[in-house]
Amino acid sequence: MKLATLNDGTPDGRLHVVSTDLTRAEPAEGVQTLQALMEDWDGLSPALEAQYARVNQGTGSAFEPEEALAPLPRAWQWLDGSAYDSHGDLMQKVFKLDPSPKGRPLMYQGMSHQFLAPCEDVPLPTEEDGIDFEGEFGVICDAVPMGTSAKDARAHIRLLVQINDWSLRTVAPIEMKTGFGWIQAKPACSIAPIAVTPDELGDAWRDARVDLPLNVTLNEASFGAAEGYHMSYGFDELLAHAARTRKLVAGTVLGSGTVSNENFREIGSSCIAERRGIEMLDKGAPETPYMAFGDHVEMECTLRDGSNLFGKISQRVVQG
C-alpha cells in the first residue's frame, strides 16, 4: 500500500491512498490523517488495503507527487540513528573523534514538530553554517512497548519512508562540544511524498533493511547511489534500542542515518560531509563546497526494475 498526505489547510493534511505507479489517488476512507491511522493500524488498514486495490484499478483522480506534503507533516517523535559504519568510521578518522562504543547503536532525538514537504524550498539563515543534505531511509511504527525485542519490533514497522536530514556542519561541532546535543545544527527534515508498506519492496525489504540504492543528485549532477542494505543495525534493532527504557508512541519516525557504503569512492555519497572527508584523506584538504543558496538537491529510490517507490525529494536551499 502507498499513502500520501495532501494539503487541506490543516496542520496534518488529508491522508490519501495512492496507486502503485503514483498516477492516481483518492482520500483515505474512514481516517483523516496518517497519525490517526498509525494509532489504529490494525483496525483501519484492512479497509485501506481494499481501497488501494480499487485505486490501482482506476478509481480516484490524478496525483501530483510534487504537490504532496511530508506523509507526516508533524509527528510526536523523530529519532535518527547512524547505522552505517562506513560513514561513522570516516567521520571519526577525518575529524579525530573518539571511537563510538561498540555494540551500541548511535541515535539522537531531533525536532519532530515539522517535516518539510518534498518539493518545497528550504529556508536557512546563512551559507556560513555549512548547509548539507543527508539522504536516509526511515520507518514509521505503531505503538512499541518498552522492552520490545528486535525480533518483536519488526512487526511494529508499518511504513517505510525516504528522508533528507538537513544538517548545518559548521554549527554541529560547536554544539557537540557542549555535551547537550544538537539544536541549531539540525533544522527540519524533509520526507519524500510516499510512505509505503514493507511488502511494496518485495525482496528488497530484507533483514529489516532497504536493499535498494538511494540516488542523489546535486545541481543536476550525480552525487551518489549508495545501497541501503549495509546497515550495521537493522530497523528492528534500532527500534528495540530506542524502546529499551520507554515505550514508543504510534507515529514515531526513525531514520537510518546517512546511507553509506565502504566503496564510497566508487559509488558516491549521500551527503557532502562524507565527500569532503574522502577529499581530506586523499588530497589533504576538502574541495567540494557545502550548499549555497539556490543549489538544488534531488533524492530518489526506485525498485530494481525502475518502478517508482517513494516519489522524489527535490528541493532548493534559500535564504530564510
Side-chain angles (χ1 to χ4, degrees):
M1 181 165 57
K2 296 187 176 183
L3 301 168
T5 295
L6 298 182
N7 190 355
D8 67 349
T10 66
D12 298 303
R14 182 68 170 90
L15 183 65
H16 281 64
V17 178
V18 182
S19 62
T20 299
D21 62 4
L22 310 190
T23 62
R24 303 188 66 77
E26 63 182 22
E29 297 174 357
V31 59
Q32 289 287 118
T33 68
L34 184 55
Q35 180 61 39
L37 172 60
M38 301 312 301
E39 291 171 359
D40 187 15
W41 182 271
D42 289 335
L44 295 170
S45 62
L48 294 185
E49 289 283 4
Q51 185 180 5
Y52 180 55
R54 296 195 298 272
V55 172
N56 282 324
Q57 292 170 359
T59 64
S61 56
F63 175 63
E64 300 294 340
E66 62 272 12
E67 297 178 3
L69 302 175
L72 270 178
R74 56 180 181 172
W76 287 108
Q77 183 164 231
W78 156 238
L79 302 172
D80 197 17
S82 181
Y84 293 90
D85 282 352
S86 55
H87 177 78
D89 292 347
L90 175 64
M91 295 297 102
Q92 288 173 18
K93 184 181 297 184
V94 169
F95 297 108
K96 298 179 174 60
L97 304 175
D98 292 334
S100 301
K102 295 301 182 182
R104 184 180 181 85
L106 296 177
M107 188 178 295
Y108 75 92
Q109 184 168 339
M111 64 168 281
S112 61
H113 63 266
Q114 179 189 22
F115 288 99
L116 300 175
C119 294
E120 72 174 295
D121 288 344
V122 181
L124 294 167
T126 174
E127 295 173 352
E128 299 304 313
D129 285 343
I131 302 168
D132 198 1
F133 51 83
E134 291 189 60
E136 306 189 12
F137 293 114
V139 301
I140 306 177
C141 64
D142 61 11
V144 181
M146 184 176 70
T148 296
S149 67
K151 179 182 176 181
D152 293 338
R154 192 173 303 195
H156 293 283
I157 298 172
R158 299 302 191 176
L159 294 169
L160 309 179
V161 291
Q162 176 191 314
I163 299 167
N164 183 0
D165 176 33
W166 290 98
S167 293
L168 302 178
R169 298 297 190 182
T170 61
V171 180
I174 299 170
E175 294 193 316
M176 289 174 70
K177 290 177 182 177
T178 69
F180 266 52
W182 288 308
I183 296 293
Q184 294 179 353
K186 288 292 187 179
C189 301
S190 310
I191 305 183
I194 307 299
V196 308
T197 49
D199 61 288
E200 292 290 333
L201 276 68
D203 293 341
W205 177 240
R206 186 162 66 94
D207 301 326
R209 295 160 167 85
V210 178
D211 189 10
L212 294 168
L214 180 58
N215 297 295
V216 180
T217 65
L218 177 60
N219 294 327
E220 285 60 61
S222 177
F223 197 88
E227 295 279 344
Y229 180 75
H230 302 287
M231 298 168 70
S232 302
Y233 299 93
F235 282 110
D236 50 354
E237 296 168 294
L238 294 177
L239 280 177
H241 173 79
R244 179 177 176 271
T245 59
R246 55 175 161 171
K247 63 182 180 181
L248 304 182
V249 67
T252 292
V253 185
L254 188 150
S256 64
T258 306
V259 179
S260 176
N261 299 163
E262 293 286 352
N263 60 335
F264 37 55
R265 289 179 177 84
E266 293 78 40
I267 205 166
S269 299
S270 302
C271 71
I272 297 173
E274 184 171 279
R275 177 171 289 188
R276 286 168 61 91
I278 298 165
E279 292 167 347
M280 291 172 70
L281 290 180
D282 293 352
K283 304 176 182 180
E287 297 178 352
T288 302
Y290 288 119
M291 295 182 75
F293 294 137
D295 282 352
H296 177 220
V297 63
E298 289 192 342
M299 299 179 182
E300 188 173 25
C301 174
T302 61
L303 294 175
R304 301 290 181 184
D305 64 3
S307 301
N308 211 317
L309 193 57
F310 302 105
K312 182 185 292 185
I313 292 175
S314 179
Q315 296 183 297
R316 294 187 186 278
V317 291
V318 297
Q319 187 161 22

